[in-house]
Amino acid sequence: MHEATLRGRVAELLAASDRSNVPPFMVMDVMSAADRIEAVGGHVIHMEVGQPAAPAPKTAIAAARAALEGGRIDYTSALGIPSLRDRIARHYRDTYGCAVDPGRIVVTTGSSGAFILAFLAMFESGDRVAVTVPGYPPYRHILKALGCEPVLIETSGDTRHALTGEALLAAHGKSPLKGVLVGSPANPTGTMMSREALTDLMKAAQSAGVRFISDEIYHGLDYAFPAVTAAELSEHALVINSFSKYFCMTGWRVGWMVVPEPLARPIERLQQNLAISVPTLSQIAAEAAFDGREEMEAIKRGYVENRRILIEGLPKAGLTKFLPADGAFYLYADVSDFTSDSFEFARRMLEEAHVAATPGVDFDPFHGKNFIRFSYARSADDMREAVARIARWLG
Ligand SMILES: Cc1ncc(COP(=O)(O)O)c(C=O)c1O
């Protein structure tokens, strides 16, 4: 066979599918650049990564250790260890005063694993699903990889970045939606939906027959007002949560869903086939994490202090425009007075001030070039140092 033809055949054999062609996460590029600076002795203040600096609660680590010493780590049932599912149901009663049947709880490999199960169980290939912009990029990338069509709806600071029922119905009117996904507290904005805003949106979704998914991964990290769970407002909503953020267990890869009752069995079948079960050690640790709340509340008090330092310090340093930092550990700042290219701004801030933050382009293809996301999940000293460095750099 002719060499060029052979090369063509091989290229065809090895070509990645179109659905796998999702964009990378630019924050990873910022992290690599920060690594390079640190490799030659620089000291970078890390505000780019959305993960707690603290380890898992001591109760979780002790439970995992005991389980390791106890012998075999077997598969669990696909929906999760029954006692963990019970404990999560109790969490809804204790935290929100809301009764949830443990039969509706599904343990997942982080909320990331939950998105895959939820989207597969709720949508057909080709279905249109609304997500908000700015927003967490994997929402739209996972939908695309699964053959669904993400429909981007822009939100603004005027509504604290809450998607309104009116905006949802307008998008649905243009071309019908099958579902909508929102997160509160939100990444990257750190803003939260009030009870009224969430109720209004869920009513609109229900009236239009649009399925509702609520990403509640930052629940527990609410500062402006208490976060409301969609599980309390409707048994038809699918709620996603995780041990990654409040419980500081990112690498343990364990999360959960509260699913509408008719979806529990289909999701169980999907999980059986896709993963068999969630890592057992992580499930054991997660159950014990609920006993470590005091430790986690102390960490949350640290975020409260970090938030105060930034809200007071950034305007003095020159960054005066940012959204209400209601929850999570993010502050989303408008840097359009300085640049029309936030990627370049973040690159220079890292190179010249050794402060790493994430450019908004990751989260918002329309206006992200005007924004920078700061994560304030590290120490108060780091926050003070970051403010001082930014002040010197901009001043
Ligand atoms: C809004 C949001 N949802 C979901 C995730 C995924 O988290 P995990 O898979 O660790 O639960 C993240 C991670 O940063 C996030 O910010």
Side-chain angles (χ1 to χ4, degrees):
M1 196 184 297
H2 197 274
E3 206 187 313
T5 320
L6 191 62
R7 266 205 305 276
R9 288 259 171 89
V10 170
E12 220 172 85
L13 267 174
L14 302 180
S17 67
D18 188 40
R19 67 163 78 187
S20 69
N21 185 19
V22 294
F25 214 174
M26 279 202 196
V27 66
M28 299 299 178
D29 294 343
V30 179
M31 285 162 72
S32 314
D35 286 348
R36 282 196 295 278
I37 292 172
E38 284 176 331
V40 293
H43 172 217
V44 173
I45 307 283
H46 288 277
M47 301 179 80
E48 78 280 33
V49 193
Q51 86 172 328
K58 290 189 185 64
T59 50
I61 294 168
R65 219 174 245 141
L68 264 184
E69 278 159 14
R72 289 170 55 104
I73 300 290
D74 290 331
Y75 292 135
T76 72
S77 71
L79 293 178
I81 296 176
S83 57
L84 171 58
R85 296 171 69 207
D86 287 347
R87 189 64 191 77
I88 293 170
R90 202 172 105 205
H91 167 70
Y92 281 87
R93 215 172 39 242
D94 296 348
T95 309
Y96 308 101
C98 156
V100 173
D101 179 350
R104 294 176 53 213
I105 308 280
V106 181
V107 181
T108 59
T109 44
S111 59
S112 305
F115 294 130
I116 297 170
L117 291 171
F119 296 162
L120 284 172
M122 295 171 93
F123 307 124
E124 303 295 349
S125 152
D127 279 350
R128 289 162 43 85
V129 181
V131 293
T132 54
V133 168
Y136 180 59
Y139 296 154
R140 48 185 197 273
H141 300 162
I142 298 171
L143 281 166
K144 177 181 176 286
L146 295 179
C148 297
E149 185 189 336
V151 176
L152 310 188
I153 306 184
E154 282 191 71
T155 59
S156 79
D158 302 344
T159 62
R160 271 189 144 86
H161 282 281
L163 175 62
T164 61
E166 198 185 343
L168 179 76
L169 294 178
H172 184 63
K174 276 192 210 145
S175 184
L177 298 167
K178 189 67 182 284
V180 57
L181 188 170
V182 293
S184 167
N187 180 6
T189 56
T191 51
M192 282 170 58
M193 293 180 82
S194 65
R195 175 178 289 272
E196 294 69 35
L198 187 61
T199 307
D200 166 71
L201 179 64
M202 289 177 71
K203 276 194 183 144
Q206 175 116 10
S207 72
V210 174
R211 294 168 166 218
F212 195 82
I213 304 175
S214 179
D215 180 1
E216 303 184 354
I217 183 171
Y218 292 102
H219 272 221
L221 302 178
D222 42 2
Y223 317 113
F225 47 86
V228 180
T229 174
E232 183 192 326
L233 303 177
S234 168
E235 290 196 345
H236 300 155
L238 189 145
V239 171
I240 293 179
N241 207 322
S242 172
F243 290 89
S244 288
K245 309 292 171 159
Y246 176 80
F247 289 105
C248 302
M249 293 177 70
T250 46
W252 296 75
R253 309 309 302 130
V254 57
W256 75 85
M257 293 192 278
V258 181
V259 306
E261 193 275 327
L263 293 186
R265 179 63 183 150
I267 287 175
E268 180 175 22
R269 292 194 308 258
L270 282 166
Q271 180 90 294
Q272 285 167 347
N273 282 278
L274 291 176
I276 301 185
S277 61
V278 171
T280 307
L281 206 54
S282 298
Q283 294 193 59
I284 292 168
E287 188 176 340
F290 283 110
D291 297 327
R293 290 197 74 113
E294 253 177 52
E295 203 183 324
M296 296 300 105
E297 284 298 306
I299 289 164
K300 178 177 177 179
R301 285 194 290 278
Y303 301 149
V304 170
E305 175 61 2
N306 291 352
R307 172 179 181 264
R308 187 192 65 74
I309 294 167
L310 293 186
I311 289 177
E312 284 177 21
L314 285 180
K316 290 181 197 150
L319 295 179
T320 53
K321 293 187 198 160
F322 47 83
L323 294 164
D326 296 331
F329 32 60
Y330 302 120
L331 189 144
Y332 201 52
D334 182 334
V335 290
S336 58
D337 287 346
F338 303 94
T339 185
S340 55
D341 179 354
S342 61
F343 188 77
E344 179 59 14
F345 184 87
R347 194 194 60 74
R348 281 190 37 231
M349 190 168 70
L350 176 60
E351 295 291 337
E352 296 163 20
H354 290 189
V355 175
T358 308
V361 279
D362 257 349
F363 309 101
D364 180 348
F366 309 119
H367 305 294
K369 59 186 180 2
N370 294 330
F371 289 88
I372 290 280
R373 187 196 73 175
F374 292 101
S375 167
Y376 55 87
R378 294 173 89 101
S379 71
D381 281 347
D382 270 5
M383 297 305 113
R384 279 187 279 270
E385 178 62 21
V387 167
R389 288 184 188 188
I390 294 168
R392 279 198 299 275
W393 182 60
L394 287 176

